[in-house]
Amino acid sequence: MSDRIQLLDDLGAELGRVAAEAERPLARRGPRRRFARAGHRARVAAVGVGVVLLLAGGAYSVPIARSAFDGVFASLGGWVSGTGGDAPGREVRPEDGLRHWWLDGEGEARLIAEAEGVGLYVRRSDAPGGPWLEFGLGDDVSVSMGARLEDWSEFLGRDGIVLLGPAMLGRGNQLDDRGRYPLLGLTLPEIKRLEFRYAEGRPLRGRTGDGGFVLLVDAWRPPLELIGYDSDGHIVERLDVTDRDMSYVCAKEPGDCPR
Amino acid sequence: MAETLSTCLRESARTPTAFTGVYEAMASELLAFLLRRTFDVEVARDLTAETFARAFEHRGRFRGDTDAEASAWLYGIARNLLARYARDGVTERRAVERLGIRVPAVSEDDHQRIVELAGLADMRATVADLFSSLPSDQRDALRLRVIDERDYGEVAATLGVSEDAARARVSRALRRIADVVDMPIPSEVTR
């Protein structure tokens, strides 16, 4: 008889769902045309977040369709499912300073994007129901989001740029001393450069990592648009980010924002 | 050693999903704690769910830097709920309902595992030993009141003592057992 107590797993998944719902106002500020999928995305995220720390259930295998590797998964899908493809990014190192509850997890973890010490990490492992994919966000992974690969694929859709969300800076800080917060996400492999445009002032420009990105965005400037370019400078994707205004955080962490 | 529990708890104020780390660290421990004090798996489940629901609602109020402080904060919530259960015989579900948490059912397998988790078999043996070791007047009073579920008038008449004396014997017996096993005394026993 297994030692796992299903009741605790189920209750944990419920709390994970509630926690993800509570986080949704922050994570759901996508463009209006994507709202139809938001409910489903939140549900998948809830299940993922709840289950990532509480792996449970019976073991069975689900074949992964090649179509699951479209969109932002084009650079991750083969590696995650073990059906081919090079491991993205670089291996995780002790000096990355990740929290042990994430670092000690099963499977293989990689750093796929980084900016000024803030990383976007990804881990693949085998789990009941198929390959498991988990994203760790932040400079020491303060938030972890996990789900089966096929659920992620459905959750993330076929958009060229997918925002995973803002992350914490260290333990307890949301902004750095310049009033910036880390914004993390996934991109199509052909997107090599990103431009985050504000309603006013100079845009923020950055390069993508291996299928993902980390941008340190000014919380105090109204956001406008995130644009992804290929290596020739052609626009691949545009994402409306006007409803991702994080200026309210400046009020919570006074002194960090220049105004 | 990293203070994982307190870190997750503090961070959950801003990043709610960090609360899953709190749950993972404390769920089985709190469930066992509550079961050892209620001897009822369903009640312990309800109290566990409400404890975490309240902790989630009030996570922004936690002020502490160590896992010990975080653990004490959670146990404080659990003890408050336990005291209410002991006093009124009801399990609070208000936070669970406010958050819309579906409290899962207890399967037969789970029932067995949870009892094992709490070491209830050992505890039953301890209580049985304590019961046997009570002075005979206290043991008889306790048996009549708790096992036979007589009211105090009947206990007093059977033992040939006043009702106050019967209450005192039951109370002393319960206190003696409760002191050893750290369990609350349900108010319906002492009323």
Side-chain angles (χ1 to χ4, degrees):
Chain A
M1 187 169 69
S2 163
D3 289 336
R4 295 206 68 88
I5 296 173
Q6 190 65 42
L7 161 69
L8 288 178
D9 292 343
D10 293 346
L11 184 57
E14 274 292 290
L15 276 163
R17 178 184 62 78
V18 168
E21 288 287 331
E23 210 158 279
R24 193 165 53 173
L26 208 60
R28 248 181 79 176
R29 294 181 187 130
R32 192 170 301 281
R33 66 187 170 86
R34 301 183 206 286
F35 274 13
R37 269 202 306 267
H40 178 70
R41 291 177 178 193
R43 281 195 297 280
V44 176
V47 171
V49 168
V51 175
V52 65
L53 298 171
L54 306 161
L55 290 176
Y60 63 97
S61 177
V62 176
I64 302 298
R66 185 67 203 169
S67 60
F69 307 151
D70 289 346
V72 295
F73 271 112
S75 59
L76 292 175
W79 171 69
V80 174
S81 66
T83 58
D86 296 333
R90 68 156 170 83
E91 63 185 5
V92 174
R93 301 166 185 154
E95 56 267 31
D96 290 332
L98 304 190
R99 295 176 199 209
H100 73 86
W101 59 265
W102 202 82
L103 192 58
D104 297 343
E106 293 179 0
E108 181 184 4
R110 310 283 298 183
L111 173 74
I112 61 170
E114 185 178 17
E116 298 184 41
V118 181
L120 171 59
Y121 299 87
V122 61
R123 177 202 307 287
R124 55 147 290 173
S125 58
D126 295 323
W132 187 264
L133 180 62
E134 185 177 347
F135 293 104
L137 316 183
D139 64 347
D140 59 357
V141 178
S142 54
V143 179
S144 177
M145 309 163 73
R148 289 185 306 160
L149 176 60
E150 64 172 13
D151 289 337
W152 270 120
S153 179
E154 189 180 354
F155 169 48
L156 297 176
R158 293 164 184 261
D159 299 328
I161 302 174
V162 173
L163 299 182
L164 292 173
M168 302 289 285
L169 274 166
R171 304 192 176 207
N173 297 321
Q174 208 157 346
L175 303 179
D176 66 7
D177 57 6
R178 291 164 57 187
R180 302 178 302 173
Y181 71 93
L183 182 66
L184 301 93
L186 303 174
T187 64
L188 290 170
E190 57 263 39
I191 294 180
K192 303 297 181 190
R193 191 166 58 79
L194 291 168
E195 186 173 274
F196 191 100
R197 292 184 177 172
Y198 302 97
E200 57 186 59
R202 295 180 57 182
L204 168 68
R205 295 192 175 93
R207 303 200 72 80
T208 58
D210 206 350
F213 67 89
V214 180
L215 293 173
L216 288 166
V217 177
D218 291 340
W220 46 278
R221 299 168 69 188
L224 190 64
E225 192 174 27
L226 180 58
I227 304 171
Y229 298 89
D230 66 14
S231 55
D232 294 328
H234 299 124
I235 293 176
V236 178
E237 180 78 316
R238 309 180 80 109
L239 195 63
D240 181 348
V241 292
T242 50
D243 50 1
R244 286 189 172 259
D245 190 341
M246 295 284 284
S247 57
Y248 72 95
V249 185
C250 291
K252 290 162 63 177
E253 296 185 16
D256 288 338
C257 296
R259 56 172 161 159
Chain B
M1 184 180 146
E3 299 287 351
T4 309
L5 177 61
S6 62
T7 301
C8 286
L9 186 50
R10 278 200 316 276
E11 284 186 6
S12 67
R14 286 180 173 176
T15 310
T17 46
F19 193 78
T20 53
V22 177
Y23 179 84
E24 184 199 32
M26 294 295 294
S28 59
E29 186 179 322
L30 274 174
L31 178 64
F33 168 81
L34 290 164
L35 182 57
R36 282 198 292 268
R37 283 149 187 82
T38 60
F39 295 101
D40 187 312
V41 171
E42 275 78 16
V43 169
R45 170 204 58 187
D46 289 351
L47 291 173
T48 301
E50 183 69 10
T51 296
F52 280 105
R54 287 194 179 196
F56 182 77
E57 282 188 331
H58 300 309
R59 62 196 187 280
R61 298 181 189 174
F62 172 68
R63 298 287 181 270
D65 295 318
T66 67
D67 284 358
E69 289 167 333
S71 176
W73 186 77
L74 284 164
Y75 270 98
I77 296 171
R79 285 185 189 281
N80 283 338
L81 292 170
L82 200 56
R84 171 78 198 278
Y85 170 69
R87 187 179 70 238
D88 301 335
V90 296
T91 51
E92 288 273 8
R93 295 177 60 91
R94 282 185 292 189
V96 162
E97 287 169 3
R98 274 195 299 269
L99 294 174
I101 292 172
R102 294 182 292 269
V103 178
V106 182
S107 70
E108 204 164 308
D109 284 347
D110 265 359
H111 196 285
Q112 181 62 28
R113 290 187 196 106
I114 293 167
V115 167
E116 287 173 7
L117 171 75
L120 224 51
D122 293 340
M123 180 166 275
R124 284 201 176 101
T126 303
V127 171
D129 288 345
L130 286 167
F131 184 79
S132 301
S133 68
L134 289 171
S136 60
D137 58 339
Q138 291 180 24
R139 190 171 60 239
D140 292 343
L142 191 60
R143 180 186 292 116
L144 288 166
R145 177 73 185 109
V146 175
I147 299 173
D148 298 343
E149 297 184 332
R150 308 273 188 86
D151 63 33
Y152 275 109
E154 291 178 286
V155 175
T158 304
L159 297 178
V161 297
S162 70
E163 205 170 304
D164 283 347
R167 283 181 188 278
R169 289 182 187 182
V170 170
S171 177
R172 278 197 291 271
L174 285 174
R175 185 65 55 201
R176 201 160 172 159
I177 294 172
D179 283 349
V180 173
V181 297
D182 187 24
M183 58 183 280
I185 301 167
S187 59
E188 63 265 30
V189 175
T190 53
R191 269 200 291 259

